[in-house]
Amino acid sequence: MSAKQIFNKLGYRKIVVKEDVLFVYERPSDIEGYVECIYFDGILRQFMANEVSEEDGDDISSKYLTLEELEAINLQIAELGWSD
């Protein structure tokens, strides 16, 4: 199973911001008016997980990760070749 398939199974959808540079997996949060996001930065080879307001995107808080999300993140990192 690919990272994208695992993220999809967890309710995330992939949004490509800039091909081969930045993409995000996003799903509705348990908190009304927020979305959970997991960003992947291909230039810095970093990821970030947070919750943002759907209305203005400014109200940001960090997000706890589940073991399934961590598994998908680790697989995504391997698929991107960042672990080399």
Side-chain angles (χ1 to χ4, degrees):
M1 188 176 284
S2 71
K4 184 176 180 182
Q5 290 172 318
I6 295 172
F7 278 117
N8 287 341
K9 181 179 164 189
L10 294 172
Y12 286 92
R13 66 185 176 111
K14 185 176 181 178
I15 300 168
V16 177
V17 178
K18 188 168 183 186
E19 194 68 40
D20 298 326
V21 176
L22 180 65
F23 62 92
V24 60
Y25 287 100
E26 177 182 286
R27 74 175 178 189
S29 173
D30 292 337
I31 303 169
E32 188 174 329
Y34 283 77
V35 291
E36 297 179 7
C37 300
I38 301 175
Y39 299 89
F40 289 86
D41 183 327
I43 293 175
L44 299 175
R45 292 184 166 199
Q46 296 177 342
F47 76 93
M48 174 178 65
N50 61 28
E51 291 181 295
V52 297
S53 169
E54 288 181 293
E55 189 172 308
D56 56 21
D58 288 339
D59 193 9
I60 298 174
S61 65
S62 56
K63 171 190 165 17
Y64 287 101
L65 297 171
T66 65
L67 292 177
E68 293 85 6
E69 289 168 326
L70 184 58
E71 176 187 356
I73 290 167
N74 285 331
L75 184 53
Q76 184 69 77
I77 288 169
E79 289 174 1
L80 292 168
W82 293 2
S83 51
D84 297 340

